[in-house]
Amino acid sequence: MSLHTALATVLLLLKPASALMSAEWSSLLAGNEEFSLFPTDERSAFGSAISPGSRSVLGIGLGFAKCGTTFMNMVLNEHENFYQTHKESHYLLPNDELSRCKRAGPPNSTSDYINDCFDGRWPKKGEATLDFTPRYGIYSNVQSLMETVKVLQQTTHNVTLRFLVSLRDPVIRAESTLSMMRRLNTNGWLTKTDAELDEQLVNNLTDRAHTDGFYYQALRTWLRSFPKHSLLVVNMKSLSDHETWKRIYSHLGLAVPSESQNEQLLQKVKALYWERQGESFMSSGASPYSATLSVKNMLNMYYERSNEKLWELLKTDPWW
């Protein structure tokens, strides 16, 4: 696909959609007056606090891939009132071959979801669990995901649904995706040079390495039916910031550790995370991929309009 054709495709995706969700569905998600949104700044947008111990929280991570979801998940798993059976269940989309639950999804009720993916353990008051499946947030999957979440919303049995998403510069995210594919030897890419991966990026603009980076389209669709207080959008670059973690914990109804405790925790998890990353690259013999400056400039132009619309949607200064 040429750059001209690709840019035309992006502009088409950015056109306002005419169809909105039904009033019935919207009414299921009412109640914004109960919550005050967090400040929108360089750390995050939207989301709101739940008093610790006041609710049982079932979290759904919308993604995105290569945007820090593994690190976030590792940190959350250190909290005494957070539990999880799988980081990624892949259960809420139809025909997902990666489903890690007892049965393939999607569920017909929240009970199905809890029984099949969380070993039947419902979160108690003050507890939170999370299904952090990055592909949930892909634009082409959002409509199916929302239909499934509508079913969950109707059968939650006093469990509060919360949504979490992490964003990263889409150019760096695309680089990271190709590094992962080289490390895993996807399509025999272990032996590909950086120049060959540059060519892959430029000539395959419709691949998921790129399309996952169109955050605006997915979030715009999601927010037409789900209130802003239920969705916390996090800037991946801020994941070393205590204030960011205060918002993440509070959004999930978890008690917030002190700043010193949280700093120690983040350092511990960072060390473990990078140790695992290093071991993975060493065992594969692969090296991280870095695009040339000319390729990065081209990709910045490719994502420019989508990024502009994202900042308008989030009502924030650019994060990258």
Side-chain angles (χ1 to χ4, degrees):
M1 177 184 285
S2 69
L3 177 60
H4 181 272
T5 303
L7 289 173
T9 302
V10 173
L11 291 175
L12 180 63
L13 283 170
L14 290 168
K15 289 184 177 180
S18 58
L20 295 176
M21 292 297 164
S22 69
E24 178 188 2
W25 189 352
S26 298
S27 68
L28 291 171
L29 299 157
N32 290 11
E33 68 282 357
E34 191 177 342
F35 300 94
S36 296
L37 294 179
F38 294 129
T40 293
D41 53 25
E42 71 280 3
R43 301 178 182 90
S44 69
F46 312 141
S48 59
I50 293 175
S51 298
S54 66
R55 294 176 183 244
S56 308
V57 175
L58 173 57
I60 299 173
L62 306 182
F64 288 82
K66 312 310 296 177
C67 289
T69 62
T70 297
F71 176 74
M72 293 173 70
N73 203 70
M74 289 172 68
V75 174
L76 286 170
N77 268 283
E78 295 290 327
H79 197 287
E80 62 180 354
N81 290 324
F82 181 88
Y83 72 93
Q84 203 171 44
T85 307
H86 312 278
K87 172 188 179 262
E88 305 175 19
S89 80
H90 293 266
Y91 186 69
L92 300 181
L93 296 174
N95 305 314
D96 193 326
E97 72 282 0
L98 296 177
S99 177
R100 292 177 170 86
C101 300
K102 295 176 182 176
R103 298 181 301 164
N108 293 315
S109 67
T110 307
S111 292
D112 284 352
Y113 192 22
I114 295 294
N115 290 331
D116 289 344
C117 297
F118 300 94
D119 291 336
R121 180 181 172 185
W122 290 79
K124 301 173 184 176
K125 274 195 174 182
E127 288 186 332
T129 188
L130 178 69
D131 175 2
F132 220 152
T133 302
R135 68 167 59 187
Y136 286 163
I138 302 171
Y139 177 65
S140 59
N141 288 337
V142 166
Q143 193 64 52
S144 293
L145 178 67
M146 290 196 303
E147 292 293 341
T148 301
V149 173
K150 175 182 177 180
V151 172
L152 300 182
Q153 187 75 28
Q154 293 171 319
T155 60
T156 51
H157 303 294
N158 297 318
V159 171
T160 299
L161 290 178
R162 283 279 154 139
F163 311 108
L164 183 63
V165 63
S166 178
L167 306 184
R168 182 185 195 182
D169 181 337
V171 176
I172 299 175
R173 199 209 65 79
E175 283 184 302
S176 182
T177 298
L178 265 65
S179 286
M180 178 184 69
M181 294 174 75
R182 174 193 269 173
R183 172 172 52 84
L184 297 177
N185 198 25
T186 304
N187 301 323
W189 282 15
L190 180 61
T191 58
K192 279 190 178 290
T193 65
D194 279 10
E196 290 173 318
L197 293 181
D198 279 346
E199 185 177 353
Q200 178 71 25
L201 275 182
V202 172
N203 294 332
N204 296 277
L205 292 172
T206 57
D207 283 359
R208 274 195 55 197
H210 291 298
T211 56
D212 285 14
F214 291 120
Y215 311 127
Y216 162 73
Q217 291 85 336
L219 294 178
R220 175 195 63 173
T221 302
W222 188 264
L223 288 169
R224 283 184 176 142
S225 296
F226 292 81
K228 292 178 180 179
H229 75 255
S230 68
L231 172 67
L232 179 61
V233 183
V234 176
N235 180 2
M236 177 181 163
K237 289 196 300 185
S238 74
L239 287 178
S240 295
D241 190 313
H242 179 62
E243 179 60 33
T244 303
W245 280 99
K246 282 174 63 178
R247 297 176 191 179
I248 294 171
Y249 289 127
S250 298
H251 185 68
L252 296 175
L254 297 171
V256 179
S258 69
E259 186 167 0
S260 61
Q261 289 174 326
N262 200 46
E263 179 61 30
Q264 291 177 6
L265 173 60
L266 292 178
Q267 292 303 321
K268 169 187 170 183
V269 174
K270 281 180 188 176
L272 179 59
Y273 175 83
W274 287 114
E275 179 183 346
R276 291 177 180 176
Q277 287 289 303
E279 289 174 351
S280 181
F281 273 102
M282 286 182 64
S283 64
S284 69
S287 59
Y289 161 67
S290 179
T292 61
L293 181 59
S294 61
V295 169
K296 290 178 181 178
N297 288 338
M298 186 276 289
L299 294 180
N300 279 321
M301 183 171 63
Y302 180 58
Y303 289 115
E304 182 177 15
R305 181 58 177 158
S306 178
N307 286 336
E308 289 174 352
K309 299 293 286 185
L310 176 64
W311 311 137
E312 292 174 11
L313 179 69
L314 301 183
K315 301 190 184 306
T316 183
D317 292 332
W319 287 352
W320 49 78

